[in-house]
Amino acid sequence: MSKCEQCIVRELSSLKALNKDELLKMADCKTSYVVKKGDPLFEEGESLHGVYCVKDGIAKMTKLSANGKDQIIKLVKKGELLGQRSLISEEAANLSAVAIEDMEVCFIPKSEVLQFFNENNKFSMELMKTICGDLKEADDHMVDMAQKTVKQRLAATLLQLEKEFGKNEDGSLHIQLSREEIAGMIGTATESCIRLLSDLNKEGLIEINGKKIILVDKNGLQRLS
């Protein structure tokens, strides 16, 4: 019980609305495991039989576009739940979830989650708020894709990566994404992403050191985005 009670996912997600007995029940039925970097938690179109709690690590949520490229819709970090929308809507997963660094996750079966949803009003409200938040994010993302240039989207994404995932001691972004992954986040080809990063570097807004990216002029990036 103490493990579920003290878990970071519980503090940061809708699970905070569960009472002690429900947490005990959850601790009894959950499965914990490690997902290695590059491995999927689930694939787009798959039927999900429960929700995933992210205890540690980061996953990318991707959608396969018509040209066969992975569009990264969002990044998920520790403290978040995955798969709750599919569970409530009873539809197959709309996105794939792939680990971009080693992850620790717990899996809670559908039957338990639905029981909590039906019996605990506070939990169902928290879950619905989370799903509404995801929809708002998706709306904002769609507007950005339509109205901003690729360069503006890149500047905004770099700022977001630092805000959400922090920096290393040397000032570089803590989360190290490949150029292809950054391109997948801003909806462009890898080549143009490399070219735009090089432009931002020349303009003195960022510094590139191998795979590392340091945001040198955040105000400049803010103005650009």
Side-chain angles (χ1 to χ4, degrees):
M1 174 189 71
S2 61
K3 276 192 175 171
C4 278
E5 268 198 282
Q6 291 158 11
C7 178
I8 185 146
V9 186
R10 180 183 171 239
E11 290 166 36
L12 299 176
S13 72
S14 43
L15 298 177
K16 61 178 173 278
L18 298 180
N19 62 39
K20 251 189 177 158
D21 289 345
E22 288 167 330
L23 286 169
L24 262 174
K25 218 171 165 196
M26 189 169 79
D28 279 346
C29 70
K30 72 176 171 65
T31 322
S32 304
Y33 57 100
V34 171
V35 184
K36 287 284 177 204
K37 178 180 177 173
D39 286 349
L41 280 86
F42 54 81
E43 308 262 12
E44 188 180 334
E46 199 179 303
S47 291
L48 300 185
H49 304 291
V51 297
Y52 296 84
C53 305
V54 181
K55 278 185 77 179
D56 205 11
I58 302 167
K60 58 181 177 182
M61 307 298 292
T62 65
K63 184 125 188 103
L64 202 60
S65 59
N67 62 6
K69 285 242 193 292
D70 272 337
Q71 172 82 46
I72 297 181
I73 306 301
K74 67 178 286 192
L75 297 173
V76 175
K77 56 186 184 297
K78 69 177 177 185
E80 296 190 53
L81 294 183
L82 294 182
Q84 65 265 42
R85 192 174 71 195
S86 300
L87 204 72
I88 303 303
S89 66
E90 296 191 326
E91 290 172 347
N94 187 40
L95 305 171
S96 297
V98 180
I100 56 173
E101 58 179 49
D102 288 355
M103 297 179 76
E104 265 184 74
V105 298
C106 288
F107 178 77
I108 309 164
K110 183 176 181 173
S111 54
E112 297 301 321
V113 183
L114 288 179
Q115 194 177 349
F116 300 151
F117 187 80
N118 291 326
E119 293 173 6
N120 182 329
N121 232 342
K122 202 173 161 207
F123 173 68
S124 41
M125 276 306 290
E126 288 289 346
L127 203 57
M128 295 320 269
K129 273 187 207 165
T130 307
I131 292 169
C132 290
D134 286 348
L135 284 172
K136 181 183 179 299
E137 252 179 54
D139 288 347
D140 292 346
H141 185 70
M142 197 164 65
V143 171
D144 281 353
M145 292 298 266
Q147 295 181 351
K148 288 186 175 180
T149 66
V150 182
K151 194 172 183 178
Q152 286 174 317
R153 294 202 297 266
L154 177 58
T157 298
L158 292 173
L159 288 165
Q160 187 66 21
L161 291 176
E162 182 175 299
K163 186 181 164 197
E164 274 195 43
F165 301 98
K167 300 185 285 189
N168 297 316
E169 279 179 23
D170 62 3
S172 63
L173 295 177
H174 175 67
I175 182 171
Q176 269 199 25
L177 297 174
S178 68
R179 300 299 185 250
E180 193 178 356
E181 284 168 333
I182 297 173
M185 286 189 80
I186 59 174
T188 192
T190 309
E191 299 72 37
S192 24
C193 177
I194 292 168
R195 195 175 60 247
L196 287 168
L197 282 168
S198 167
D199 288 350
L200 294 181
N201 187 33
K202 280 179 200 147
E203 289 160 28
L205 296 171
I206 65 171
E207 193 182 302
I208 297 172
N209 188 354
K211 275 192 170 182
K212 292 182 172 187
I213 298 173
I214 298 168
L215 308 191
V216 179
D217 180 1
K218 278 186 264 194
N219 290 336
L221 287 167
Q222 197 74 56
R223 282 194 298 274
L224 175 59
S225 72

